[in-house]
Amino acid sequence: MVLTDIKAGGKAKITNTEHVNVLVRRRLLDLGIMEGTEVSIKRILPFGGPFAVEAGGQWVGIRRSEAKLIQVSHP
Amino acid sequence: MIEIALAGNPNTGKTSLFNILTNSYEYVGNWSGVTVEKKVGMLNNKKGHLIDLPGIYSLNPLSRDEGVATRFLIEENFSMVLNIVDASQLERNLYLTIQLLEYGKPVVIGLNMVDVAKGRGIMVNEKKLSEKLQSPVLPIVARTGSGCKELAGLLTNEEQKNKPLYISYGQPLEQAMETLAAKMHGVENLPPKRWLALQFFEGNEVVHGLLKTMIPEAELQRIFTETEALVQSKEGAKSLSYHIRAIRAQYIKGVLDVSLQKGEEVTYTLTDRIDNIVTNKFLGIPIFILFMYLIFKLTFDWLGSPISDMLDAFLTGPLTDGLTSMLQAAGASAFIKAVILDGIVAGVGGVLVFVPQIMILFFLISFIEDSGYMARIAMVMDKTLESIGLNGKAFIPMIIGFGCNVPGIMAARTIEQPKERLLTIILTPLMSCSARLSVYSLFVGAFFTQNQALVVLSLYLLGIVIALTLAKIFSSTILKEESSMFVIELPPYRIPQWRTLMRNTWEKGKGFIKKAGTFIFGGSVIIWFLSYAGPGGLGVDMNKSFLALIGGVLAPLFEPIGFGSWQAGAALITGFLAKEVVVSTMNIIYVAPDLHTLQGIMANHFTSLSAYSFMAFLLLYVPCLATVAVIKKETGSAKWTWFSIIYALLIAYIVSLIIYQGGKLLGF
Ligand SMILES: Nc1nc2c(ncn2[C@@H]2O[C@H](COP(=O)(O)OP(=O)(O)OP(=O)(O)O)[C@@H](O)[C@H]2O)c(=O)[nH]1
Ligand SMILES: [Mg+2]
């Protein structure tokens, strides 16, 4: 399962971020989002726009194409 | 004098604190990446300097602004670090703190945003935290100033010494760090060697660069690969950087276990609700445009114009009368009177009239900046910007550019991708800045009295549309992208503080007034003189003056775009200095006693169509002198600087040609 399979308002636990672009992964790591982090999807913008996810009280916007590469499992 | 570095994660309130401790007015805003260069201030007790740095998550920089901060911390001399941590995001913030503590310089920790943490049910026991980290920790609220005095007291304590924090990273890595440290010699004033070695293994590029001056690159590479392989096999880690991160995370967990109490999970309900609207599926972009429209309505119709009119009445009435009688009484010659009244008062006063409108615009931009909306609009725009080779973050410099292009271009430092950053830098000048606003004000007052706000909004949108079109063209030709990236932190909304708003507005507006007092003052004298003198001597008919001669050279060129008069040519040449000088020049050239007369006279020289064409040309034609200088500084390239001047001229001409000729065809 990947992050984009989760609906707005849903929660998931990240299991793998290896396929994500290195720079993006670095940034997510900086923001405390990595394997094992529990995230919830806050908003999904239209027309293939970004996802806003929340982890530990921190909201982050990422592209849908990147979110597709983040593997997750049910929390 | 002691030097204290102010370091911490982005958007944690460093600059807010800096302003309190040094009594400064630096730029504060609610998104990550407000501060992009280091700022030095004198502590209120005059015992030391405080250095405000851009926010960083770790000491390994990804973007330009982060590079400024890490370079400072690694390369420069300072005696203490004031580390600001966000109490509501302690786990993530401590990651940097650990690295600073490992460095070994004295660290004082300012535990900021305790109000936010409290609101979310998070309680931090600062005594326990301080014990664990072996450094003073003080809870503060930088927004209100609470706790900041006590914090200031700790800063000039020269007794404080820190031993570098020691965390064991496991035998294989410890061994490798020792081996590497033993090879470092020949450079003075190095940071602690163990720290350098650790940062190197973590992948820190700045440290890598430093080590290269002592150890051959090939050897560094070899040590790195060997160590990584060893750590992978012995510790079962994915990579060195993961291993180091995992150990630190464990350490932080240990610290938080004793010092942090999480209450019930409280989410930001207000933020959620506002976001439901402003990042709504269909309404996101329309709402942004509506906001812009309201901004122009306020600046022009509702608030700005009436105040500007009052100011104009004062400047042209009592002030001019007073000056005239003073000059009369002092027995000034006709020449002096003309310099002062027709040159300086007309030129400087003509620009000052628009100060209220510009202040209102700055105020509204500051409001957007400090509310938290900035990051949202970047997210809403990302999809559009991605399709033209940029990313959502590029919109932030552009919005700041509406105030003034110079800080807008500086703000591009937070864009991680070098090509996207360059593209943003060369396109930001197309954003219509407040100086151009003064010219629009003059023209819309004369030609579009019914629809002032709408016409101005159309010019702003024109600038944006052209910037986006050019972005597409440039990114698919000369600036081909390797890979684009976009990750943005979305801060909680905050109701902007009155004090911050006033300070930010004043800081921005001050520049405009200063320019009026220096640059435009001098420029007005020169322009007036050029209009007063000619080949035939002094006091010639203005049509035979030097100014008319110079402007006349350009006039035929401007004929096809609707304003082939020497006056327009002369005004545009002077507009390169600063766009609002166009207003000064027009005031001088058309010898108008006040704004309304000037607008009346202009009606003889322009039609509505050519006025619109003129405004579009002025919007696009060249970045002003200060902007050109900052483009040069930020790109470090004469080639790109010239490029941004020349493409702008071409585009301006083409667009005005289309507007004017097209408009004529349509019968305007
Ligand atoms: N509620 C609350 N807000 C704060 C506090 N301190 C700062 N802020 C707000 O947080 C936002 C960021 O403040 P800045 O001082 O610009 O933060 P910074 O760390 O300098 O940010 P960068 O320069 O982007 O790294 C502003 O909107 C401040 O008003 C605080 O203690 N409590
Ligand atoms: Mg700052």
Side-chain angles (χ1 to χ4, degrees), chain B residues 632-652:
Chain B
K632 176 84 208 304
K633 179 170 149 240
E634 292 295 293
T635 59
S637 145
K639 191 184 91 182
W640 285 112
T641 312
W642 277 111
F643 179 79
S644 58
I645 297 175
I646 291 166
Y647 93 77
L649 268 174
L650 284 175
I651 281 295

Side-chain angles (χ1 to χ4, degrees), chain B residues 52-178:
Chain B
D52 187 19
L53 296 169
I56 45 177
Y57 298 103
S58 73
L59 289 168
N60 185 11
L62 206 58
S63 58
R64 269 292 267 265
D65 57 323
E66 292 175 323
V68 171
T70 16
R71 284 223 154 70
F72 181 88
L73 292 170
I74 292 175
E75 292 165 4
E76 310 238 346
N77 219 348
F78 55 92
S79 38
M80 185 186 268
V81 184
L82 172 52
N83 177 212
I84 295 303
V85 298
D86 176 348
S88 68
Q89 291 289 340
L90 208 48
E91 193 170 347
R92 152 163 78 81
N93 277 252
L94 286 184
Y95 197 76
L96 175 68
T97 307
I98 298 290
Q99 297 183 54
L100 294 172
L101 289 171
E102 284 180 328
Y103 191 83
K105 284 256 170 89
V107 175
V108 169
I109 297 170
L111 185 65
N112 195 25
M113 306 247 184
V114 282
D115 55 331
V116 181
K118 209 167 172 190
R120 291 176 44 203
I122 299 169
M123 288 305 215
V124 182
N125 183 331
E126 71 269 8
K127 293 216 177 59
K128 291 256 170 62
L129 190 61
S130 165
E131 248 165 56
K132 273 282 178 191
L133 301 175
Q134 297 287 313
S135 305
V137 177
L138 250 158
I140 55 170
V141 179
R143 198 171 151 94
T144 59
S146 117
C148 295
K149 259 223 185 79
E150 291 81 347
L151 187 65
L154 291 178
L155 294 180
T156 32
N157 171 11
E158 288 171 53
E159 307 286 86
Q160 194 193 337
K161 293 268 181 301
N162 276 46
K163 266 208 328 251
L165 170 72
Y166 181 86
I167 302 176
S168 170
Y169 289 91
Q171 201 273 329
L173 184 54
E174 289 294 336
Q175 181 72 50
M177 286 198 276
E178 243 172 68

Side-chain angles (χ1 to χ4, degrees), chain B residues 550-561 563-566 653:
Chain B
I550 302 168
V553 176
L554 290 180
L557 264 174
F558 291 148
E559 191 68 58
I561 53 176
F563 38 89
S565 66
W566 71 259
Y653 198 84

